[in-house]
Amino acid sequence: MYYRHFGLSGPPFQFAMPPGELFMSRPHREALAALEWGLLHEPSGFTLLLGESGTGKTSLVSAVLARRYETVRAVCLADPKLSFTEMLRFVVQRIVALDPPAGKADLTASLDAFLAKLKRGERLVIVIDEAQDLEPANLEELRLLSNHGRPDEKQLCFILVGQPEFARTLALPALNALSQRIGARATLAPLSREEAEGYVGYRLKRQNGTIEQVFSPSALNYLLAQSRRIPRRINTLCHNAMLLAYAAGATRVSAAIARLAVREYDGFTGGRAVGLARCWAARLCAAAKTQPLRRAGVLAAAAGLGFIGAQALLSGFPAAERASSNAAEAAHSDSPLKMKLPQPALLPRHRLRTVSAAFRPEAVSEAATTPIVLGPKADAGRLGNPKAPTASTAQPPIMDRPPAASESSPRMQVVRVKPGDTLTGLAQRYLGSATRVKDLELANSRLRNADLLYPGQEIDIPTSRLDAADTGAR
């Protein structure tokens, strides 16, 4: 897959890491210590952990629960939008391992019976993730529930894990009694600049790589600045930047590719769909090389992803079109992301751009053996005729040999189609006007479908209007 392109043994920026492989920065160590204290020793009955989305709160909860302390029976509640009775039923079901009763009173009685069986020093801890979504009425119910158990020791405890806005909820006058009972409080802050770089290096090192091997210094600085040093956002931006670099054939992530990854991540859904859909299509077609028996299914999936990107282009997002065009042209240029492109305004919306089957030059020939049928006309024909060829069974269009040129016929120059090319774009580039599409269609009458061009396909251009400086002749 894509990580092998950078010499790595596995994907470095996974979004779910095993508890034993967490990167423990100073904020993470402090937050983990607060969670452990809440599990084992907090006498007030309530522990609070706050942190922005993506800082690693849920990962820390999983890590501390994986330790399985002998004196603690822990239940993690991940859906705080349940009613109080539903939450109580969930807890009782986990600790009793039987079908719990339906009523609130019976559920409370089952919980009391369980607490009565606990030995001295043992406790039941309920961890509630995404606590900012708890209703104030349910929070008050939890406070009342914490009074259950023996009066001389706290047998039932709660750890509330939420985002910073949860502090405003706890500040409500109606929850004053609960706020006073919260003992240990901790905040999981974003990483420092040094810790963020150490985090990226740690992730790459676990896959036998280094920062210098994958990211240029300027690219890493830009990605870390745009991530606000939040681990989940670092994962996403670095992962997407590596995909774009892989699709462009770059040996490592440059600053230009890093900027494109951030722009697509923060922009409209259309922009993200175009660029990353092509990258995933490249990955799927690369996989077809190593798994020839599954090649048809892989190419069909690549066709679907390419069609998503094409539809995003047709939806009228100029910024998304420019971003995806830059990424496509970068795959065939010596200086990625810097080639001149046709103006988007000159590209008619009724014509699909060519969607590269593999996005990398070396994969085009492999994908070309089973062409992908795209475009409104092809889809309409297949829906109306169940026996029409599908994406995995369609045969390449048969190209008739062009007729021999006579002295009265205009001379032709052959150019090769690149990803992103259309007949309109070729007419603008080589004939000087997008309105001269008909001239190209007449010169290439052997084309079965003028709306569908394949990378590497040969197109005849009348040499009388050809700009020799722009030729892509073979």
Side-chain angles (χ1 to χ4, degrees), residues 395-407:
Q395 297 299 320
I398 300 175
M399 301 295 183
D400 300 326
R401 296 294 298 175
S406 63
E407 294 182 0

Side-chain angles (χ1 to χ4, degrees), residues 191-242:
L191 305 175
S192 67
R193 175 60 179 80
E194 293 74 17
E195 289 170 335
E197 185 172 345
Y199 174 78
V200 175
Y202 174 79
R203 285 298 191 101
L204 292 171
K205 183 178 179 181
R206 295 199 64 84
Q207 304 301 336
N208 300 314
T210 62
I211 292 178
E212 295 77 12
Q213 181 178 339
V214 179
F215 298 97
S216 69
S218 57
L220 181 63
N221 290 336
Y222 184 77
L223 291 173
L224 294 183
Q226 295 298 316
S227 70
R228 302 191 299 275
R229 302 186 303 278
I230 295 176
R232 183 188 297 163
R233 189 172 167 89
I234 293 175
N235 287 347
T236 304
L237 293 181
C238 290
H239 173 76
N240 291 356
M242 290 179 64

Side-chain angles (χ1 to χ4, degrees), residues 13-14 21 26 48 55 66 73 112 134 158 167 210 224 240 244 252 268 282 285-286 295 344 360 379 404 415 442:
F13 297 102
Q14 300 182 68
E21 299 182 7
R26 180 187 57 80
L48 177 63
T55 52
R73 180 68 180 272
D112 285 336
L134 284 169
F158 295 88
T210 62
L224 294 183
N240 291 356
L244 290 173
R252 65 175 181 170
F268 270 115
C285 290
R295 183 174 302 159
R360 298 172 66 193
D379 288 344
V415 299
L442 292 175

Side-chain angles (χ1 to χ4, degrees), residues 324-342:
S324 61
S325 299
N326 289 341
E329 294 289 346
H332 297 275
S333 64
D334 296 332
S335 178
L337 311 176
K338 293 183 179 179
M339 286 193 67
K340 293 183 179 179
L341 300 173

Side-chain angles (χ1 to χ4, degrees), residues 70-100:
E70 294 182 358
T71 60
V72 175
R73 180 68 180 272
V75 177
C76 184
L77 179 63
D79 187 2
K81 294 188 177 181
L82 299 174
S83 67
F84 177 74
T85 301
E86 291 172 332
M87 288 191 288
L88 190 56
R89 183 180 297 112
F90 177 86
V91 172
V92 172
Q93 187 177 29
R94 290 298 183 276
I95 61 179
V96 180
L98 296 173
D99 290 334

Side-chain angles (χ1 to χ4, degrees), residues 59 93 166 230 247 265 457:
S59 298
Q93 187 177 29
F166 184 47
I230 295 176
Y265 180 77
Q457 185 176 354

Side-chain angles (χ1 to χ4, degrees), residues 20-56:
E21 299 182 7
L22 296 178
F23 176 77
M24 300 304 294
S25 65
R26 180 187 57 80
H28 286 81
R29 289 194 298 269
E30 294 175 354
L32 186 62
L35 290 176
E36 190 173 35
W37 173 263
L39 279 175
L40 299 175
H41 308 296
E42 177 54 50
S44 68
F46 285 89
T47 301
L48 177 63
L49 174 62
L50 299 178
E52 292 186 42
S53 177
T55 52

